Amino acid sequence: MTKPTDTNRSGHAGLDTLLDPLTNKGTAFSEEERDALDLWGLLPPHVETLDAQLERAKAMIAEVDKPIEKYLRLRDLQDDNEVLFYSLAADDLPGTLPLIYTPTVGEGCVEFSRHYQHPRGLFLTIPEQDKIPEILAHPRFDDIEVIVVSDGERILGLGDQGANGMGIPIGKLSLYTACGGIDPAKTLPILLDTGTDNKDRRENPTYVGWRHERVRGDDYDAFLDAFVDAVKGRWDHVLLQFEDFAQANALRLLNRYRDKLCTFNDDVQGTAAITAGLLMAVAKSAGQKLGEQTFVIFGAGSAGCGIGRMLVSLMVDEGMDEAEAYAKFYAIDSSGLLMDDGDLKDFQKPFARSADDLKDWDMSAEEASLLDVVKNAEATVLIGTSGQSGSFTEDVIKAMAQHTDRPIVMPLSNPTANSEAAPQDVLDWTDGKALVATGSPFDPVCWDGKEYTVDQANNAYIFPGVGLGAIAARAAKVTDAMFVAAARKLAEIEDTNTDGPGHFIPPREKLREVAQAIAEAVARQAVSDGVAQVDFADDGELSKRIEERMWKPHYEPSQGGE
Ligand SMILES: NC(=O)C1=CN([C@@H]2O[C@H](COP(=O)(O)OP(=O)(O)OC[C@H]3O[C@@H](n4cnc5c(N)ncnc54)[C@H](OP(=O)(O)O)[C@@H]3O)[C@@H](O)[C@H]2O)C=CC1
Ligand SMILES: CC(=O)C(=O)O
Ligand SMILES: [Mg+2]
């Protein structure tokens, strides 16, 4: 998160080394290092290896039961010693991910203020807008390569968490390092504190954010512009990932900044790529085209419509006319099925249906429930990006199974409690016919006496690789084609297994290999799109350069030490 500086902050260089999580090795400082850094007395005498520290850290996490307690211990570890934290993540990625990421990170955000202790990342607030360039100018940020920024307004499916949303940029960047191999010293989480409309947060005595209603309109835009200008002015090249902005801002800000710097919106574009990648893998395994499916998107917001747009572009690549591809979709928001005479947002309009489309239905669009839409549209793919727990009910899922042998059900909302359905239920309701992928991790499901893991369709499969590829290529901007390249690569990686709920993307254990493979595809696409600002002699050099930049947790000899 921060770059160690040469400045002697506490007046004791050794103590500064211990207090900085990027340089601290704790009990692993050798005797020579203890001499050189004047650490004697500041540490217990026994010198440990990283492996021994790891065993102790694992035991410390294992001894508490609740995920939030494990999360808090892991966050403490990260703030104390990043090498040890990432060693632990590497040791058991599938086990660590649900703690440092969805679902537990959601609770971590809700509880963020109550547990706030250590500084990590930057809180930039509207009242201090003029100070942004000065704050970013500090030499400790010279080497930053990846920033994840949120304004905390749409944290997973948990709504406005204000400054508590900082847990998300921290969690996403932990995955950038654990999966994408980005050196933690080159990552910077940022929370733009523009107030919160969550009264519970604002009025809670422990709340650490700016106790002000959300600033909107021109003042919000001016603040965002000031921030983006400051980022552009500060670094020759940096990747800026927007995360968990509310619908009114997500796509709007993406369109505002996407041609100005290397930036993307993970909820819009990363989510689209994981969903499209998985659906392409399904189509490939069935020898079908995407265009043979009929899609219902339940939750026609940033993520849902982002998914729809990418699927349309892929169907057009398959040879379908664009209007015909849009006609494959039925999209629903909290007001119901999107209709062309309705009050729609611009990004929703291409997905709208006409009265003529519904002429054979027994009810009006206003009366049509999700069940009615699924039945009448004969949906084969049901995507949930609504944040509404349990909305894929038994009758909805059974209705799908009546007109397709292999209903594809994707309850993508996070965290787990907000999932539109539980995979075991979906399997039970369809006599094991449904293919299921969820946004948050679920326990393995059981069908016909066999246990199956469930694919996790989460943008964690995409953003670490896209980010790594974009910075390796020093991409001036992130093109849509780079996300399509990521989706296509994902679809290529894994041999699929159509048993039970299906298995179409690599398991979480392989997220680092996935990120590396995607990074190569993305960097290659950046070159062919003319946005790369470095040359690669050939594909081999591109792969080598990406592999070489992937940081692994290890201790460097400390200055003056061995
Ligand atoms: N698996 C993954 O990788 C990802 C999952 N997600 C998840 O997707 C969810 C939505 O995120 P995002 O798209 O950014 O949020 P948005 O607020 O942009 O979209 C939510 C959509 O759901 C609709 N909705 C809300 N309530 C209902 C309801 N009762 N019936 C029908 N539709 C409803 C909203 O309608 P309206 O606008 O009318 O309120 C809106 O269209 C979150 O839970 C998030 O965690 C997001 C990104 C990645
Ligand atoms: C995964 C993710 O980005 C979200 O739920 O917002
Ligand atoms: Mg998100």
Side-chain angles (χ1 to χ4, degrees):
M1 181 218 28
T2 52
K3 185 191 173 201
T5 64
D6 296 334
T7 46
N8 192 337
R9 296 184 299 274
S10 68
H12 186 301
L15 184 58
D16 286 341
T17 308
L18 292 184
L19 294 177
D20 186 335
L22 290 169
T23 53
N24 184 26
K25 303 183 191 178
T27 50
F29 279 110
S30 66
E31 295 192 350
E32 292 77 9
E33 287 172 323
R34 292 174 193 220
D35 278 337
L37 292 166
D38 195 14
L39 293 179
W40 290 108
L42 296 179
L43 289 166
H46 182 62
V47 175
E48 281 181 315
T49 61
L50 178 56
D51 283 348
Q53 288 182 312
L54 178 58
E55 289 312 309
R56 207 147 44 81
K58 278 159 59 178
M60 187 185 72
I61 305 300
E63 78 186 15
V64 288
D65 293 328
K66 289 189 188 149
I68 186 68
E69 292 171 336
K70 291 179 190 285
Y71 170 84
L72 291 170
R73 289 198 173 191
L74 282 163
R75 284 284 301 104
D76 278 349
L77 185 62
Q78 186 176 22
D79 288 339
D80 181 53
N81 179 337
E82 302 225 19
V83 168
L84 185 50
F85 171 79
Y86 285 110
S87 300
L88 199 147
D91 184 70
D92 177 16
L93 201 48
T96 313
L97 225 56
L99 299 170
I100 61 176
Y101 191 57
T102 186
T104 314
V105 71
E107 200 178 345
C109 288
V110 171
E111 299 286 338
F112 184 87
S113 288
R114 212 155 66 80
H115 297 293
Y116 179 77
Q117 291 189 72
H118 303 290
R120 173 168 290 266
L122 293 175
F123 291 86
L124 303 176
T125 61
I126 290 222
E128 313 300 332
Q129 176 173 329
D130 295 346
K131 296 196 177 77
I132 296 176
E134 187 191 326
I135 293 169
L136 298 186
H138 196 280
R140 68 199 288 109
F141 303 131
D142 282 356
D143 294 338
I144 294 303
E145 289 187 330
V146 183
I147 295 171
V148 175
V149 66
S150 181
D151 72 355
E153 192 173 4
R154 196 287 278 144
I155 293 300
L156 308 177
L158 304 170
D160 186 351
Q161 300 297 327
N164 282 12
M166 180 55 127
I168 291 293
I170 291 174
K172 291 272 173 183
L173 284 165
S174 299
L175 266 60
Y176 259 112
T177 299
C179 308
I182 308 291
D183 182 340
K186 297 179 178 177
T187 67
L188 181 62
I190 297 185
L191 189 287
L192 299 179
D193 192 343
T194 57
T196 176
D197 288 343
N198 184 333
K199 263 182 91 184
D200 285 351
R201 294 288 162 274
R202 224 170 44 221
E203 291 175 1
N204 189 316
T206 66
Y207 184 58
V208 294
W210 183 38
R211 293 167 189 222
H212 194 283
E213 287 171 10
R214 271 194 184 270
V215 173
R216 301 192 185 276
D218 291 347
D219 288 345
Y220 177 88
D221 284 359
F223 180 65
L224 266 288
D225 282 349
F227 167 66
V228 171
D229 286 348
V231 167
K232 270 194 73 168
R234 172 64 172 91
W235 293 279
D236 287 344
H237 189 266
V238 74
L239 170 74
L240 178 63
Q241 171 169 326
F242 282 75
E243 193 67 50
D244 287 12
F245 282 72
Q247 192 189 107
N249 294 317
L251 187 62
R252 190 177 70 81
L253 295 178
L254 171 64
N255 290 335
R256 193 174 174 101
Y257 301 125
R258 61 178 305 157
D259 290 328
K260 298 197 169 131
L261 76 168
C262 183
T263 190
F264 66 87
N265 182 298
D266 183 39
D267 301 297
V268 176
Q269 297 165 286
T271 315
I274 170 63
T275 310
L278 195 146
L279 288 172
M280 278 191 284
V282 174
K284 200 170 70 175
S285 84
Q288 289 179 331
K289 289 182 167 185
L290 284 173
E292 291 172 53
Q293 306 285 6
T294 300
F295 302 87
V296 168
I297 296 181
F298 186 72
S302 309
C305 291
I307 293 166
R309 277 191 303 278
M310 184 179 282
L311 290 171
V312 165
S313 80
L314 291 168
M315 287 186 237
V316 170
D317 289 348
E318 285 177 348
M320 204 180 238
D321 173 71
E322 189 179 82
E324 203 188 335
Y326 273 112
K328 289 277 168 189
F329 289 86
Y330 293 78
I332 298 170
D333 72 5
S334 65
S335 306
L337 183 62
L338 304 190
M339 295 297 291
D340 58 8
D341 58 354
D343 183 15
L344 303 185
K345 287 126 197 167
D346 283 347
F347 67 84
Q348 294 178 321
K349 286 180 183 164
F351 296 97
R353 310 298 308 203
S354 68
D356 196 44
D357 294 332
L358 274 59
K359 63 179 186 310
D360 296 330
W361 295 22
D362 290 339
M363 73 291 300
S364 67
E366 295 78 53
E367 289 162 347
S369 63
L370 173 60
L371 174 63
D372 296 323
V373 175
V374 162
K375 269 188 188 165
N376 284 288
E378 302 201 343
T380 57
V381 179
L382 178 58
I383 295 169
T385 43
S386 66
Q388 302 302 306
S389 166
S391 354
F392 295 174
T393 51
E394 182 170 353
D395 50 359
V396 168
I397 300 300
K398 282 191 160 157
M400 282 188 83
Q402 272 169 16
H403 55 255
T404 172
D405 289 342
R406 273 309 221 175
I408 302 171
V409 182
M410 302 181 78
L412 299 185
S413 292
N414 301 313
T416 316
N418 290 59
S419 183
E420 285 84 359
Q424 184 68 59
D425 286 341
V426 175
L427 273 197
D428 292 345
W429 295 334
T430 57
D431 287 333
K433 280 160 68 176
L435 300 178
V436 192
T438 54
S440 285
F442 274 83
D443 287 341
V445 291
C446 204
W447 184 253
D448 214 10
K450 272 171 78 180
E451 208 174 69
Y452 301 92
T453 54
V454 179
D455 278 348
Q456 190 181 349
N458 191 292
N459 51 31
Y461 275 84
I462 299 294
F463 71 79
V466 169
L468 176 61
I471 59 172
R474 287 179 75 84
K477 54 186 181 177
V478 183
T479 63
D480 285 338
M482 287 158 73
F483 275 98
V484 170
R488 288 195 191 284
K489 177 51 72 177
L490 184 70
E492 246 175 63
I493 295 176
E494 184 73 353
D495 284 340
T496 53
N497 176 353
T498 54
D499 288 349
H503 183 52
F504 298 93
I505 51 174
R508 289 190 290 273
E509 286 87 333
K510 295 196 179 161
L511 272 170
R512 204 172 156 101
E513 287 140 86
V514 170
Q516 187 172 344
I518 287 180
E520 289 178 15
V522 165
R524 222 173 283 130
Q525 189 64 44
V527 173
S528 62
D529 287 351
V531 296
Q533 299 179 109
V534 291
D535 290 328
F536 302 102
D538 52 32
D539 248 24
E541 196 206 336
L542 181 147
S543 307
K544 189 162 158 265
R545 294 243 291 266
I546 284 174
E547 191 176 357
E548 281 170 0
R549 24 165 74 247
M550 289 183 80
W551 181 90
K552 293 192 189 81
H554 66 285
Y555 287 133
E556 298 278 359
S558 291
Q559 203 187 352
E562 61 205 350

